[in-house]
Amino acid sequence: AGVAAGAVLGAWPVLAVTQRPDAVPQAPDTIFHLGTVMTMAASGDASTFHATAYTAAPGDAGLYPAGFHLVATTVVLLTGCQAVVAANAVALVASVVVWPLGVLACAKELFGARRVVLLTAPAAAVALAPFPTWLLGYGVLWPNLLGQALVPAALALFIGPVLRDRSITGLLLLLATFPGLAASHPNTLFGLFVVAVPAAVAALVVGGKEASTTARRAVLLGAGALGLSIVIASWVSLTRV
């Protein structure tokens, strides 16, 4: 029910602006994205390692994070619709279904499976204009949109099974998401790390303070200090260099 409400609230302004499923977004990147989907559909090659084929010279196609284009191309091949219809549909579903579902999973891990959480989290996910609405119109940043929409689900895996339950299966599942996240957009992995690493450091520090033995306390606090040092060093190097 919460996801359904969030989907309606999220889709309402998008459909009002788009008006038609085959409307071409009036943005600089649109031609590249639609051309890439059309090239993939025509060539049968949807590999992210050859995703610049639309703009590259013959034989020079290279790497591009083409997770969005792969999904849109699949829609084209399955339905026979136009590339712009597939792209608009995938962007809409990522915005108002995938993103609220991920936020729902993340909120459940953070605040528990309480009814108020499950009903309000998906609606809250689409309540702000910067994401997902802004990326639908600026650029258009479809690859970034799909990638960021996947982050909360990966974060839910990290918070619950990995950080709280210390599940090896959960860790393997989380690692298995990395190629898909990176193929959608590199910013997706960075976005995940920006939230997950400080959370892991905090968990180590709290675990160290509550540890039952001195040796375990020292290991956890040392790991927390190391993690904090990495965060600070990364921040300094990225902002200064």
Side-chain angles (χ1 to χ4, degrees):
V3 173
V8 171
L9 292 173
W12 192 354
V14 175
L15 295 177
V17 173
T18 306
Q19 296 185 345
R20 293 170 51 91
D22 59 351
V24 178
Q26 302 300 299
D29 294 348
T30 305
I31 300 300
F32 169 77
H33 293 314
L34 294 182
T36 299
V37 173
M38 294 169 68
T39 301
M40 286 180 169
S43 66
D45 183 355
S47 170
T48 194
F49 294 102
H50 311 142
T52 61
Y54 172 64
T55 55
D60 290 340
L63 177 68
Y64 183 84
F68 176 88
H69 308 87
L70 168 60
V71 177
T73 300
T74 303
V75 173
V76 170
L77 296 177
L78 287 174
T79 67
C81 69
Q82 296 175 344
V84 64
V85 175
N88 281 331
V90 172
L92 183 63
V93 171
S95 301
V96 304
V97 179
V98 176
W99 166 252
L101 274 173
V103 171
L104 175 65
C106 197
K108 177 178 175 292
E109 295 296 343
L110 284 168
F111 307 115
R114 293 180 293 164
R115 186 173 300 174
V116 65
V117 172
L118 302 182
L119 286 174
T120 58
V126 298
L128 300 176
F131 190 87
T133 310
W134 187 60
L135 295 190
L136 286 168
Y138 176 78
V140 289
L141 303 182
W142 284 330
N144 216 335
L145 169 71
L146 178 62
Q148 297 298 338
L150 297 172
V151 170
L155 191 60
L157 264 177
F158 175 74
I159 293 170
V162 177
L163 206 58
R164 184 189 61 229
D165 302 335
R166 299 176 185 176
S167 166
I168 298 299
T169 303
L171 178 60
L172 293 176
L173 282 173
L174 178 64
L175 294 176
T177 68
F178 284 7
L181 295 174
S184 297
H185 202 285
N187 281 348
T188 303
L189 281 180
F190 284 115
L192 178 62
F193 291 157
V194 162
V195 180
V197 173
V201 170
L204 287 169
V205 172
V206 171
K209 292 172 66 176
E210 298 176 349
S212 56
T213 65
T214 303
R216 182 175 175 79
R217 186 180 300 117
V219 169
L220 290 173
L221 290 176
L226 177 62
L228 183 60
S229 301
I230 293 174
V231 171
I232 295 173
S234 300
W235 176 261
V236 171
S237 64
L238 290 172
T239 54
R240 296 290 176 87
V241 178

